[in-house]
Structure formats: structure tokens, C-alpha cells
Amino acid sequence: STSRKDLTKSIEPHIYETSCIAYKGLISSGLDQTILVSGESGSGKTETVKILMNNFATLSTLAESSKLSNPNNLVISKVLHSNFIMEAFGNAQTIRNANSSRFSKFCTLQFDISDENLTKKLMAPPLIGSNCQTYVLEKMRAVHQINGERNFHIFYQLLAADNAFKISIWEGLKDTDCNSFAYIGFCDVNEINGKTDSEHLKDTIEALTTIGITSENRTILFRAVCIVLQLGNLSLSQRQDNTEMIMVDSKEELTKLAQIMGVPEKDIEDTLTCRSVKIGKENFKVPLSIIEASNSRDALARGIYSYIFEFVVDTLNDATEFKANSNSAPDVTDARKAVGS
């Protein structure tokens, strides 16, 4: 008769089987376990990682110490809610995938396999923390997408909100839609994985609240996203009185940007249309061409969005990572997911 070991070798890897084997290895050996999730774009890497994390969370709740009143349940909730946040700020619709991760990540789940728990013979070590390292965010997507694709989900979520919510973030969002911002443009898709963008926004807000981001800090975060949107609305042209000088000719859009950034209009315009050159002890402003100024504007937008994403990841790690003695909670289960081509 065919043994179970031989049968396992003859069939394709199964998500639940793989996670259970890793969890069993953790319990029996006390050593770190690693799961590699790879594949081409649209193959299901993002969903696979979510299923793995949910299964590990389910297994850990079987622990004798993980009763409903146990603080570990809040940790599990934060870990699982982190998926909503990472997808909102790091995922986008592509031609091949409606919810494609536009970054790579290395996630670590932390379980308590301390001597105390081993003495209690807990067969289901509780999940007590997580950490996520991210790489190669596709920053260019924040300012440009090919036909048939979308920008990062968070932009559409904010634009799908009702006016009352938009005004609470920034008055400039009132009555806006995708066509109101050059970095977004026309979009005939408002549903991802069976949920509308406005429904996804509710999930994102709930997740941000779960990891401890206050409503005030959430507003600041969303305003930063709006700054990226508004930067794309600045149009540039040559000054009529000086053909070598470039100006922002969309003055109303510049005023809106200055208002949300809290920076004088002239400072923004000078930054985008000139570069500073130091010769000896003197500084000179050298005018940029329209192409250079446009690239400068887009580079600023990409840089701001990159900082937004880094802030989100750092905040998630601060909220979920177990920071006590690493001997009592080693990093034991890693799920790595690479972005497909």
C-alpha cells in the first residue's frame, strides 16, 4: 500500500498541508520554519499568503492559553488586519490580476515556544507577533499606469468615499472622482474581488484602527495621499516674458496644493521649476526645461508615496512585532512572496 509520505510526494503542494507541516515542525523541533510562495503575476501569491496566515492564526488559537480573554487574540487580529492595509497601499489592478502586489515582502510570524509552554505541553504554540520587510515598491505606478491598469487601491478608495468623509480629510476632495486627478484619470472599474472601492475603504479604516492608528493620524495619512494626487494636477509651461523660465500655469491647482501641504506657493513653484547650483560661496537658481520640471514633479510625488508606504509598514511592525527576548519568541514561520513579472 502507498504510504502517506509517498502520497504527499506525488501530488501538488497544498496550502493547508504545507502550513500544517511547518507548524508541526515548529512544535516538534523548535526550529524556524520557512515557506516560499512564488509564481508569475496572477498565479495567486497574495491570496496564498493570506490563507497561510489565517491558517496559522487558527492553529494558534487552539492553544490552551489562547482563550477569548487572552491578549494574544488582539495580536492575531492585528496580524490578520495587516493584510487589508498592505493591499490598500501596495496593491493595484493590472492587466492580469485585479489585486496584484506591486512590491516584494518577507513576513515573519512569531510563536511562543518558550520552555514554560513546552513544560505545559502546549501542542499549539500561540501566535504572539509578526514582522514584515518590504522591497522594490513599484513607485512609478503612483504617477503612471498603462491602459487597462489602475493606480494603488488607496487612491480609488478615497475617491469613492462620500463627500462628508472627503471634506473631513481635505476640502479639495469634495465632489471629485477619478477624472479629477491626472495621476488617476478615467477608470471604469470600481470593484475589486467582489467589493466596491468604498467597501474596501471601510476595511482599510477598520484595519488602521485595529493596529492603533488614531483618527487624527489617519487623517494626516490620507492627506499625504491627497498631496500625491494634487501634485499630478500641476501643469507647466514657459513664461511669456522669458522663454528660458518655466512656470506652473495651473494657479488654482497650485493654490490647492500649497494649502494642503502648508507650504507657500512660490516655494513649491521654485522647487519644481529650478535647481540650485552652488559656485564658491554663492547659490544660483538654474531654470529647468518643461521635461525636467515635469520629471521633478513626478519624482516628488513618487518620493512622497514611497514615504507613505514605509510609514504604513513601520507602523504595522510597531503594532504587531513581539519585542521581548528573542529566545522566548524566535522567528519561526516565514512566508516570502515575490512580485511576478
Side-chain angles (χ1 to χ4, degrees):
S1 61
T2 304
S3 67
R4 183 178 182 279
K5 184 176 181 180
D6 293 334
L7 183 61
T8 302
K9 290 182 177 180
S10 65
I11 61 176
E12 294 291 329
H14 191 279
I15 301 173
Y16 293 108
E17 175 74 5
T18 299
S19 60
C20 287
I21 289 174
Y23 197 68
K24 182 179 179 180
L26 165 67
I27 296 171
S28 60
S29 68
L31 300 177
D32 294 358
Q33 306 293 309
T34 301
I35 298 175
L36 176 66
V37 182
S38 64
E40 64 180 13
S41 180
S43 61
K45 300 183 296 296
T46 298
E47 293 304 312
T48 296
V49 171
K50 286 196 291 186
I51 292 172
L52 286 169
M53 292 178 70
N54 274 280
N55 196 40
F56 283 126
T58 300
L59 290 171
S60 71
T61 58
L62 300 176
E64 184 179 318
S65 61
S66 291
K67 303 300 183 183
L68 290 176
S69 59
N70 195 283
N72 285 338
N73 286 279
L74 178 58
V75 172
I76 293 173
S77 178
K78 288 180 178 180
V79 171
L80 296 182
H81 275 85
S82 68
N83 287 316
F84 294 111
I85 301 172
M86 296 297 284
E87 288 182 15
F89 289 89
N91 287 23
Q93 177 187 308
T94 65
I95 292 176
R96 304 183 64 180
N97 185 358
N99 189 33
S100 177
S101 296
R102 308 318 300 160
F103 63 99
S104 298
K105 66 181 178 181
F106 186 87
C107 295
T108 303
L109 300 182
Q110 301 166 312
F111 296 85
D112 186 357
I113 55 171
S114 60
D115 292 338
E116 181 183 359
N117 274 348
L118 293 178
T119 301
K120 293 179 180 178
K121 296 182 179 180
L122 289 178
M123 297 309 293
L127 175 64
I128 58 173
S130 71
N131 177 274
C132 184
Q133 301 176 49
T134 59
Y135 312 89
V136 294
L137 174 70
E138 188 190 11
K139 294 180 288 186
M140 180 59 72
R141 182 169 293 271
V143 301
H144 175 74
Q145 314 87 43
I146 65 174
N147 290 335
E149 296 195 351
R150 301 205 319 172
N151 207 320
F152 294 104
H153 292 326
I154 188 61
F155 293 112
Y156 303 91
Q157 292 179 15
L158 288 179
L159 292 174
D162 59 65
N163 264 336
F165 181 82
K166 287 179 178 179
I167 294 172
S168 72
I169 302 300
W170 175 45
E171 289 186 359
L173 276 183
K174 183 181 179 181
D175 295 327
T176 57
D177 56 23
C178 294
N179 292 317
S180 303
F181 297 98
Y183 284 158
I184 305 298
F186 173 76
C187 179
D188 58 358
V189 176
N190 66 352
E191 187 174 296
I192 299 294
N193 291 345
K195 283 187 175 182
T196 64
D197 290 319
S198 59
E199 290 172 330
H200 281 296
L201 177 62
K202 294 178 181 178
D203 291 337
T204 300
I205 291 174
E206 180 183 348
L208 291 171
T209 302
T210 299
I211 68 168
I213 293 183
T214 64
S215 59
E216 180 181 0
N217 286 335
R218 185 184 69 216
T219 297
I220 294 173
L221 176 63
F222 287 162
R223 283 174 67 87
V225 174
C226 292
I227 289 174
V228 176
L229 283 175
Q230 188 59 26
L231 267 167
N233 282 2
L234 299 186
S235 57
L236 303 160
S237 65
Q238 290 184 329
R239 293 182 183 272
Q240 295 180 355
D241 58 345
N242 187 335
T243 56
E244 293 184 358
M245 295 294 292
I246 303 300
M247 60 178 286
V248 176
D249 58 18
S250 48
K251 295 302 182 182
E252 183 179 347
E253 301 294 348
L254 178 59
T255 299
K256 291 179 181 179
L257 179 62
Q259 182 267 324
I260 190 173
M261 292 185 72
V263 177
E265 294 179 30
K266 187 177 186 305
D267 289 353
I268 297 175
E269 187 168 22
D270 288 347
T271 298
L272 296 180
T273 60
C274 300
R275 60 186 175 91
S276 296
V277 177
K278 187 174 183 179
I279 300 177
K281 296 183 179 180
E282 295 187 66
N283 290 315
F284 298 90
K285 288 184 179 180
V286 179
L288 300 176
S289 67
I290 289 182
I291 293 178
E292 290 173 332
S294 297
N295 290 339
S296 176
R297 175 201 60 203
D298 293 346
L300 178 58
R302 294 196 305 270
I304 292 174
Y305 194 79
S306 179
Y307 279 118
I308 292 172
F309 187 73
E310 289 176 10
F311 168 79
V312 167
V313 174
D314 289 343
T315 303
L316 278 172
N317 288 335
D318 287 342
T320 61
E321 187 174 15
F322 185 78
K323 301 179 179 65
N325 190 322
S326 60
N327 291 329
S328 65
D331 299 342
V332 294
T333 307
D334 299 333
R336 186 187 180 97
K337 185 179 76 61
V339 176
S341 59

